[in-house]
Amino acid sequence: DVKVTQSSRYLVKRTGEKVFLECVQDMDHENMFWYRQDPGLGLRLIYFSYDVKMKEKGDIPEGYSVSREKKERFSLILESASTNQTSMYLCASSLESVGQPQHFGDGTRLSIL
Amino acid sequence: GQNIDQPTEMTATEGAIVQINCTYQTSGFNGLFWYQQHAGEAPTFLSYNVLDGLEEKGRFSSFLSRSKGYSYLLLKELQMKDSASYLCAVRDLDSNYQLIWGAGTKLIIKP
């Protein structure tokens, strides 16, 4: 079974802090994704990566950056956390082939005070 | 523009059948996924449709009509554990093949 592991289930940070969310997958997937999920809205893509050291902006990249130094690890960085970044953050990975599903981690519920 | 529509909430009875609809408008369709998400948990993959027709997987089936921009997820012999949100997502050619997600349908199963 595919395992996608996010470093924290719950995280509380203060406005202005730099926040790191880590994600690791164990199935040698090429693609990795960061989403945020808010009530009443669909999953919104922040950034994705097709390969090591490669990144592409999603629909809502403002205020975020990412790092993929190794194939199995994809990190999301909130450069200067703000209260409107309070959300559930979901990491996912998939094989590159068309039709392959994305496999999700359990999510990190991040609160910015 | 791109848009995915699903009902916000549905209620059904244990043992019954329920159909959850999803309509979409995208510039370039390249497949539709259904996911299940229990409260506080990760979404898990249920089905994938890229051609018209019905795909059956045990108690769950998914249907696609590309000409109508329409899909449904059919759940039979409902069990209490089927209480969850069901997410529809469309792979869009014009969004660099990324998934466009609906807001999800919360399904409540009553005894």
Side-chain angles (χ1 to χ4, degrees), chain A residues 9 33 35 37 40-43 45 48 50 56 88 90 96-106, chain B residues 2 30 33 35 37 40-45 48 50 87 91 95-104:
Chain A
R9 286 301 304 271
F33 309 84
Y35 292 94
Q37 186 175 34
L41 300 177
L43 294 176
L45 183 64
F48 61 98
Y50 287 133
E56 291 282 348
M88 170 68 86
L90 290 165
E96 192 173 4
S97 305
V98 172
Q100 291 296 318
Q102 295 181 14
H103 300 269
F104 286 84
D106 286 336
Chain B
Q2 304 154 338
N30 193 235
F33 294 83
Y35 282 78
Q37 186 178 25
E41 297 183 11
T44 54
F45 169 71
Y48 172 68
V50 65
L87 312 180
R91 190 177 167 107
S95 293
N96 203 9
Y97 291 87
Q98 294 314 307
L99 296 183
I100 311 299
W101 294 82

Side-chain angles (χ1 to χ4, degrees), chain A residues 2-18:
Chain A
V2 176
K3 183 71 174 174
V4 179
T5 304
Q6 294 185 230
S7 52
S8 306
R9 286 301 304 271
Y10 301 94
L11 206 54
V12 180
K13 296 291 182 181
R14 297 209 172 271
T15 303
E17 280 192 73
K18 191 168 186 175

Side-chain angles (χ1 to χ4, degrees), chain A residues 20-25 29-30 32 34 48-55 65-77:
Chain A
F20 294 85
L21 302 183
E22 305 287 343
C23 175
V24 177
Q25 51 96 1
H29 284 172
E30 294 87 0
M32 295 190 75
W34 274 106
F48 61 98
S49 170
Y50 287 133
D51 202 351
V52 176
K53 296 191 185 295
M54 179 274 173
K55 60 186 178 185
S65 63
V66 289
S67 173
R68 194 167 181 199
E69 295 297 317
K70 294 184 178 181
K71 190 174 186 180
E72 67 270 21
R73 186 179 297 270
F74 193 36
S75 303
L76 179 70
I77 304 148

Side-chain angles (χ1 to χ4, degrees), chain B residues 5-108:
Chain B
D5 285 316
Q6 306 178 235
T8 302
E9 187 173 297
M10 300 180 70
T11 302
T13 305
E14 191 177 15
I17 298 173
V18 71
Q19 177 175 311
I20 302 174
N21 295 327
C22 172
T23 58
Y24 62 88
Q25 298 95 39
T26 59
S27 305
F29 176 84
N30 193 235
L32 186 145
F33 294 83
W34 283 97
Y35 282 78
Q36 180 190 60
Q37 186 178 25
H38 286 101
E41 297 183 11
T44 54
F45 169 71
L46 290 177
S47 68
Y48 172 68
N49 295 71
V50 65
L51 299 176
D52 291 351
L54 189 68
E55 295 276 344
E56 297 188 74
K57 235 187 228 185
R59 293 190 299 114
F60 291 10
S61 303
S62 57
F63 171 83
L64 176 67
S65 168
R66 289 172 295 170
S67 62
K68 295 182 179 177
Y70 168 67
S71 173
Y72 67 72
L73 182 68
L74 191 72
L75 290 73
K76 302 176 186 175
E77 301 169 15
L78 286 169
Q79 302 174 10
M80 298 302 293
K81 68 178 182 179
D82 297 329
S83 291
S85 288
Y86 292 86
L87 312 180
C88 172
V90 172
R91 190 177 167 107
D92 183 25
L93 291 170
D94 290 345
S95 293
N96 203 9
Y97 291 87
Q98 294 314 307
L99 296 183
I100 311 299
W101 294 82
T105 299
K106 183 178 181 180
L107 178 63
I108 300 167

